């Protein structure tokens, strides 16, 4: 199955073909390390982590490079505010970023270079750009600046959609009489007092942020590679002397080529749905593990999976590959029909496995559960949704998040469950309804499992949407009473 990705430069989906068969070079513009990470950083990291994982799943040998910008105006400004050395500050935030991304289950890139470690490569590339006529040197009181000449590049502005004639002096770009074109940007900045600087052919200074990705991508991937990502844009392929301007554009562009979840206007609602859905998945896998545990202890005979299980696996695999190959369309994979059918099959099969049945039928059901569980885990792994720890540990973590969101502790929930049980025994169905609805509104769902009542995270809902009618409670209780008399 061919893989199609949205190419932000071409503004359309294109069939992905790597420059070297079986290998992929991917460079992603990383963070400017002047503060702690935010959701935008997380979204970009998760996006390209899934692309990285899926490329490897397809059999590619991927070299994934994501840089750190540790030399920048924002870093210098923040360091001055805090009375800290700029490189020390950026080093601290680089470390914090790596911890945060690891917590999101993002795999470490193959290389994570820093600007401050690649000054020689940056100087060499600027020299090459000057020699090729794409940049020029201007004098400054404290040294020399080097500017990229945007009118020399035919493709400048294509990614961001900006036209050179729009960059009129004094409007979109600050006036600088030394520039040949108001849109020209600095590849090298002469040193200012108190700023970190490095020696160069143009005197002491530091690089402009447009050039860093060009130099580091060429160092680790050569000047021609497959994918360049910035923020959440994806561009391929790149060509020499066009990389610098495209790095600048991709950081400014707001075009998104992929979102891990479908669009939900209310962010809290989206987070709540994700928590509830993920809990259901992990609970199903834990139930499956419990059902399989007793059978895994002894020697098992070889058995074929059931036809129904094979259909379930085939459908799940087919839908997953179809969606992922269409621009990594992950938005409905976990809520799609094939994935939900797989979860239902596991639930039903786990219950059946506990019942007495012919040996061969039981072995076939066991093998069906094993293979379907592995298929689901494979999907979750590629999506970066297989956190470390046992299923039960993850479930407890998710329940803890739900309790924190609700402003409760588990003892509070258990007391309310007991109060609801008492209310039902006393046929006070109005109070029973009220207790259940109040918890549902806070994202706590009560589920009656035989004689027991358990709770789990859910999407906080309005009481009128969640609470069952008193009449329904009375009918259920009456039916239970008639059955008991019989």
């Amino acid at each position: 199955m061919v893989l199609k990705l949205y190419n932000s430069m071409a503004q359309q989906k294109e069939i992905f073909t790597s420059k070297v068969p079986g290998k992929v070079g991917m460079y992603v513009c990383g963070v400017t390390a002047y503060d702690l990470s935010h959701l935008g950083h997380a979204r970009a990291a998760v996006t390209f982590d899934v692309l990285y994982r899926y490329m490897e799943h397809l059999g590619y040998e991927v070299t994934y490079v994501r840089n750190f910008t540790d030399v920048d105006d924002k870093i210098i400004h923040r360091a001055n505010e805090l009375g800290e050395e700029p490189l020390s500050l950026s080093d601290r935030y680089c470390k914090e970023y790596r911890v945060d991304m690891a917590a999101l289950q993002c795999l470490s890139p193959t290389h994570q270079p820093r600007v401050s470690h690649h000054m020689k490569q940056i100087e060499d590339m600027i020299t090459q750009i000057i020699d090729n006529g794409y940049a020029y040197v201007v004098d400054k009181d404290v040294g020399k600046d080097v500017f990229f000449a945007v009118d020399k590049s035919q493709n400048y502005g294509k990614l961001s959609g900006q036209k050179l004639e729009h960059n009129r002096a004094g409007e979109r770009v600050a006036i600088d009489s030394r520039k040949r074109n108001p849109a020209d940007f600095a590849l090298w900045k002469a040193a200012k007092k108190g700023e970190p600087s490095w020696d160069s052919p143009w005197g002491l200074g530091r690089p402009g942020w447009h050039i860093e990705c060009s130099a580091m991508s060429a160092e680790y991937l050569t000047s021609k590679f497959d994918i360049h990502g910035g923020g959440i844009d994806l561009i391929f392929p790149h060509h020499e002397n066009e990389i610098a301007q495209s790095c600048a554009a991709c950081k400014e562009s707001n075009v998104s080529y992929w979102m891990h979840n479908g669009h939900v206007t209310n962010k809290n609602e989206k987070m709540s749905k994700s928590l509830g859905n993920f809990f259901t998945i992990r609970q199903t896998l834990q139930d499956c593990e419990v059902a399989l545990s007793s059978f895994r202890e002894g020697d098992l005979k070889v058995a074929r999976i059931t036809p129904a299980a094979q259909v379930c696996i085939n459908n799940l695999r087919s839908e997953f590959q179809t969606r992922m190959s269409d621009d990594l369309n992950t938005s409905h994979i976990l809520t799609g029909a094939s994935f939900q059918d797989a979860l239902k099959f596991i639930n039903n099969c786990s219950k059946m496995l506990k019942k007495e049945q012919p040996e061969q039928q039981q072995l076939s059901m066991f093998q069906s559960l094993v293979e379907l569980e592995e298929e689901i885990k494979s999907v979750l792994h590629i999506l970066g949704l297989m956190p470390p720890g046992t299923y039960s540990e993850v479930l407890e973590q998710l329940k803890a998040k739900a309790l924190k969101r609700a402003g409760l502790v588990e003892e509070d929930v258990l007391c309310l469950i007991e109060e609801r049980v008492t209310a039902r025994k006393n046929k006070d169905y109005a109070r029973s309804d009220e207790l259940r609805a109040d918890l549902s509104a806070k994202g706590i769902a009560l589920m009656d499992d035989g004689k027991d009542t358990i709770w789990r995270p859910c999407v906080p809902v309005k009481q009128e949407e969640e609470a069952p009618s008193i009449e329904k409670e009375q009918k259920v209780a009456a039916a239970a009473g008639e059955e008991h008399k019989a």
Side-chain angles (χ1 to χ4, degrees), residues 1-4 13 54 57-58 314-330 333 338:
M1 183 175 290
V2 298
L3 171 61
K4 287 187 176 182
K13 292 181 187 178
Y54 191 60
H57 171 73
L58 294 177
N314 292 345
N315 289 343
L316 177 58
R317 188 175 299 167
S318 176
E319 183 175 349
F320 178 70
Q321 291 177 346
T322 298
R323 289 186 180 277
M324 291 295 286
S325 295
D326 181 21
D327 196 29
L328 301 187
N329 181 13
T330 65
I333 287 176
S338 63

Side-chain angles (χ1 to χ4, degrees), residues 36-285:
L36 295 172
S37 304
H38 53 65
L39 284 177
H41 296 147
R43 184 165 178 254
V46 168
T47 295
F48 289 104
D49 179 66
V50 173
L51 179 58
Y52 180 29
R53 290 169 179 269
Y54 191 60
M55 288 287 192
E56 289 197 326
H57 171 73
L58 294 177
Y60 287 106
E61 179 185 335
V62 184
T63 302
Y64 175 17
V65 184
R66 184 182 65 207
N67 77 295
F68 284 108
T69 296
D70 61 349
V71 181
D72 181 84
D73 291 340
K74 292 180 180 178
I75 296 171
I76 295 170
H77 179 70
R78 178 60 58 82
N80 289 338
E81 286 182 339
L82 300 178
E84 189 173 351
E85 288 294 322
L87 288 178
S88 173
L89 178 136
S90 60
D91 179 67
R92 177 159 54 86
Y93 285 128
C94 285
K95 291 176 180 177
E96 291 283 356
Y97 174 85
R98 296 179 76 161
V99 171
D100 290 341
M101 297 310 109
L104 288 172
Q105 311 308 315
C106 291
L107 300 175
S108 293
T110 314
H111 304 286
Q112 298 189 76
R114 301 189 186 190
V115 175
S116 61
H117 298 171
H118 294 79
M119 288 300 164
K120 182 61 170 61
Q121 291 88 341
I122 291 172
E123 290 174 16
D124 290 345
M125 178 161 282
I126 293 175
T127 300
Q128 180 185 1
I129 293 173
I130 293 172
D131 292 343
N132 290 341
Y134 284 82
Y136 55 95
V137 182
V138 297
D139 290 324
K140 196 174 183 179
D141 293 340
V142 292
K144 295 181 178 181
D145 287 343
V146 181
F147 289 101
F148 184 86
V150 297
D151 55 359
K152 295 289 186 177
S153 176
Q154 296 179 352
N155 291 324
Y156 184 82
K158 282 189 175 180
L159 179 61
S160 62
Q162 297 295 325
K163 296 182 180 180
L164 290 179
E165 56 266 28
H166 291 169
N167 292 328
R168 291 175 294 190
E171 294 183 11
R172 299 181 64 86
V173 181
I175 297 175
D176 189 336
S177 59
R178 299 172 305 148
K179 293 183 180 182
R180 298 175 184 174
N181 185 308
D184 292 350
F185 53 84
L187 298 177
W188 187 263
K189 298 180 179 181
K192 293 180 181 179
K193 187 177 179 179
E195 291 184 356
S197 60
W198 290 261
D199 197 11
S200 77
W202 316 283
L204 287 175
R206 58 186 174 88
W209 61 266
H210 295 338
I211 190 63
E212 63 191 41
C213 293
S214 309
M216 289 185 286
S217 60
E219 173 71 11
Y220 293 96
L221 299 171
T222 76
S223 61
K224 296 182 179 181
F225 51 95
D226 300 292
I227 295 173
H228 177 205
I232 46 176
D233 300 295
L234 184 146
I235 311 101
F236 61 93
H238 271 302
H239 300 285
E240 192 173 2
N241 281 332
E242 295 174 5
I243 303 179
Q245 59 89 12
S246 61
C247 280
C250 75
K251 289 188 178 182
E252 297 164 356
S253 174
N254 291 321
V255 180
S256 172
Y257 87 101
W258 176 78
M259 290 185 67
H260 196 50
N261 292 299
H263 175 73
V264 177
T265 302
N266 187 310
K267 292 182 180 180
N268 291 329
E269 179 186 352
K270 185 174 184 178
M271 292 296 290
S272 298
K273 285 185 176 180
S274 297
L275 176 60
N277 291 339
F278 192 51
F279 187 92
T280 298
I281 294 170
R282 300 299 288 196
Q283 183 67 64
T284 300
L285 291 175

